[in-house]
Each structure stands twice: as C-alpha cells, then as structure tokens.
Amino acid sequence: GIFKVGHSWREFAVSLPKETACNFIEWSWVQTIPPENDDDDDIRNGLTIFIAFDESNLMNSADWDGVEANVRCGRPPEHDGAERGPCRFHYYAARDIAAGEELLI
C-alpha cells in the first residue's frame, strides 16, 4: 500500500490493533520515485510512504557475507549484455530458486 500524506498514514496506523500496527510501522518506509517520462502520472511518483504488505516483505537483503541475490528488482534484460529495466515495483528471479530457499534481493 501507499500513502501520499503523512497524517493519513498516522491516522491509519493508530486505527489498527496494536500488533498489526507494529507490523505496519516496521514495514513502512519513505521513498522518492522519479517519473519514468514526462507522461508518467503514476500516483507513486514523488515522495511516497510505502508499506510492504506484499511479496516484498518475504525478501531479505543479500548484502552480507558475500551471499548472491536470487531476486532482482526491475525487468529482466531482453538479451545478454542488455541493461535490466528500472525497478518500478517489479521483481524477477535472477536464477532458479529451490522450494524453501530464502528470497534474497
């Protein structure tokens, strides 16, 4: 979910049961999302409060102990040597992921 106004985020947080509110707060962050082009009117553009109550809260950081990410943010490259697409809330498997394996980004 997203919120564009901090006061709305706070009102929603205090309306939740205590344990749910703790999870809600823990999985919230503020991020500025640049538009992809001049015609991009995505509501998420600009300063936005995000809440990871989706598949992204099942992922952990691969930035420790030299562990390699098995999930990437963006769109996969169209061919070898090509750049991957911008993140923009898309994820893909960087390699085959075994059942029960931790998702690392």
Side-chain angles (χ1 to χ4, degrees):
I2 66 165
F3 288 84
K4 296 300 283 184
V5 179
H7 184 71
S8 297
W9 178 89
R10 288 187 295 277
E11 282 184 335
F12 185 73
V14 300
S15 74
L16 298 170
K18 190 174 185 177
E19 186 173 329
T20 304
C22 287
N23 290 329
F24 175 82
I25 292 166
E26 183 175 351
W27 291 102
S28 296
W29 73 95
V30 177
Q31 185 174 350
T32 299
I33 303 296
E36 289 186 313
N37 56 52
D38 291 339
D39 297 325
D40 184 3
D41 62 354
D42 191 318
I43 192 170
R44 297 171 294 194
N45 291 342
L47 193 60
T48 305
I49 303 168
F50 289 89
I51 299 87
F53 277 164
D54 61 9
E55 67 278 358
S56 67
N57 69 1
L58 301 174
M59 298 181 206
N60 288 313
S61 175
D63 292 338
W64 49 275
D65 291 338
V67 176
E68 189 174 328
N70 54 16
V71 174
R72 299 246 191 273
C73 185
R75 297 197 186 274
E78 293 185 19
H79 57 80
D80 287 340
E83 296 284 323
R84 68 177 186 225
C87 185
R88 302 293 295 182
F89 320 104
H90 300 284
Y91 302 97
Y92 67 97
R95 60 170 175 76
D96 288 342
I97 301 172
E101 184 179 354
E102 183 177 25
L103 300 176
L104 298 171
I105 189 164

